[in-house]
Amino acid sequence: EKTVPIPEKLNEWAPRPPPEFVRDVMGSSAGAGSGEFHVYRHLRRREYQRQDFMDAMAEKQRLDEEFQKKLERNKLVAEEQTAKRRRKRQKLKEKKLQAKKNKLEQKKQEK
């Protein structure tokens, strides 16, 4: 009688999109401060994370497509087997009916 709460599916983690406009552009010129390396390191780590995420999503999509293809192949094989067995059953049924008709005709001829 008591209602049971069913938790919703958690959203997958996704990285922040890259910024449209980068304000702290670091050039190759000398004179960068000591804190610039840490900014660069964080940007680089975030970009690597984003690329890893995109690679993982592409792999997941590829596996999903392969799985769907495999399901479709299995479905076709099952349908072929079903059709083959259906034909076999129909053939046996027709054979029995033909034998029954032949038997009735033989009885009529004997009388």
Side-chain angles (χ1 to χ4, degrees):
E1 293 181 21
K2 202 175 190 183
T3 59
V4 177
I6 299 174
E8 293 181 16
K9 183 179 178 186
L10 297 175
N11 292 336
E12 290 184 6
W13 176 85
R16 289 190 311 194
E20 292 180 18
F21 181 76
V22 180
R23 297 192 194 290
D24 49 80
V25 178
M26 291 175 286
S28 61
S29 63
S34 62
E36 296 300 318
F37 171 73
H38 302 291
V39 173
Y40 165 74
R41 189 183 64 188
H42 290 300
L43 289 174
R44 184 182 65 182
R45 182 184 54 81
R46 192 175 302 137
E47 179 63 17
Y48 285 159
Q49 228 177 9
R50 189 180 71 84
Q51 288 177 355
D52 289 342
F53 175 76
M54 289 181 353
D55 290 343
M57 292 306 292
E59 180 69 15
K60 181 179 177 185
Q61 186 176 8
R62 184 186 65 80
L63 291 174
D64 285 345
E65 287 174 2
E66 284 180 9
F67 179 70
Q68 290 300 325
K69 287 178 184 177
K70 185 176 180 181
L71 282 180
E72 190 65 30
R73 280 194 307 266
N74 289 348
K75 187 177 178 182
L76 288 174
V77 167
E79 286 175 1
E80 288 173 4
Q81 284 293 101
T82 303
K84 184 178 177 183
R85 291 177 180 153
R86 184 182 303 121
R87 285 192 303 269
K88 189 174 180 181
R89 283 192 308 268
Q90 192 66 30
K91 193 175 180 181
L92 286 173
K93 191 175 181 181
E94 289 173 4
K95 202 172 185 180
K96 284 182 182 179
L97 286 174
Q98 188 65 33
K100 201 174 195 181
K101 285 180 185 178
N102 289 341
K103 196 173 185 181
L104 285 174
E105 287 177 10
Q106 285 179 355
K107 283 186 179 182
K108 283 183 183 178
Q109 288 177 357
E110 288 176 2
K111 288 184 181 181

